[in-house]
Amino acid sequence: MDTIEIRPMNTSISSSPTAAFAQPGTQNRSRCCREDEDETRSRNGHVRFRNCEEVKETELASIEPEHSGKVLLVDMTLRNVCPCRRVAVGYHVSELDASGNEHSRGFKTLTVPPHYNSRATDVQVPRVRFLLPDDEDTEEGCQSDGTRRFIVRSEAHYADSSVSMP
């Protein structure tokens, strides 16, 4: 599977449905567009891959960050994972204010692919990244020295089962 990474992350990219996923009753738009359309859309953050194209470059307009924020990188190991089974993993990040109240800051899920060892094995989960912007309501929850406190929780369960439901 090819992966595409487009930065900066505070710019949205949208795509329109292909003919196969078009809503009933909508016109079937041509899959091709003019080169000048591609050029204009590329400057605005739109990226279009045509059939058989594998690599594209795009440059977004310069932006100035509003706040510095924080980046939280989370590593985790799943213990005793059974062979041939995928695992669904979820993370939740909360921030504690000065009174100890929690404020939700993010949630992510991912599926860890199966391993094929002969017995249960520890599996390293791919690193997860949370972007934690400086929010106005966070400042009053900061300690006097500006420290921010977070709680990271995780949950995991098997996504595959050999049991069939009646």
Side-chain angles (χ1 to χ4, degrees):
M1 176 192 305
D2 295 333
T3 58
I4 300 168
E5 187 171 306
I6 299 175
R7 294 182 185 202
M9 291 195 284
N10 57 351
T11 303
S12 64
I13 295 175
S14 61
S15 61
S16 59
T18 61
F21 298 104
Q23 298 295 323
T26 59
Q27 279 189 335
N28 206 358
R29 293 182 52 190
S30 169
R31 291 178 61 160
C32 298
C33 68
R34 297 187 330 250
E35 290 299 319
D36 59 335
E37 276 185 42
D38 269 351
E39 206 171 294
T40 302
R41 289 177 184 217
S42 179
R43 285 194 303 265
N44 292 320
H46 294 265
V47 178
R48 176 181 300 199
F49 279 85
R50 290 199 174 103
N51 192 20
C52 299
E53 289 182 323
E54 294 181 5
V55 177
K56 282 278 188 173
E57 289 185 16
T58 188
E59 185 173 331
L60 299 175
S62 298
I63 61 170
E64 184 175 324
E66 294 179 21
H67 300 285
S68 60
K70 307 288 183 224
V71 177
L72 175 62
L73 303 173
V74 181
D75 293 314
M76 185 174 70
T77 301
L78 296 171
R79 296 186 43 177
N80 299 317
V81 177
C82 294
C84 304
R85 295 177 73 183
R86 296 174 303 147
V87 179
V89 179
Y91 297 93
H92 182 258
V93 175
S94 296
E95 184 167 6
L96 293 173
D97 63 19
S99 303
N101 299 316
E102 288 188 38
H103 303 275
S104 182
R105 295 295 181 235
F107 179 77
K108 288 195 176 192
T109 61
L110 60 101
T111 302
V112 178
H115 71 83
Y116 298 101
N117 296 335
S118 59
R119 59 189 169 111
T121 303
D122 292 354
V123 175
Q124 182 68 39
V125 178
R127 176 176 273 181
V128 174
R129 178 188 327 215
F130 287 93
L131 302 178
L132 304 163
D134 287 334
D135 292 334
E136 291 177 20
D137 62 351
T138 306
E139 292 175 11
E140 64 190 39
C142 285
Q143 303 298 317
S144 58
D145 63 356
T147 301
R148 295 175 67 186
R149 300 177 302 153
F150 296 91
I151 296 174
V152 181
R153 294 183 176 92
S154 64
E155 186 173 339
H157 63 85
Y158 288 109
D160 299 315
S161 174
S162 59
V163 176
S164 61
M165 301 303 266

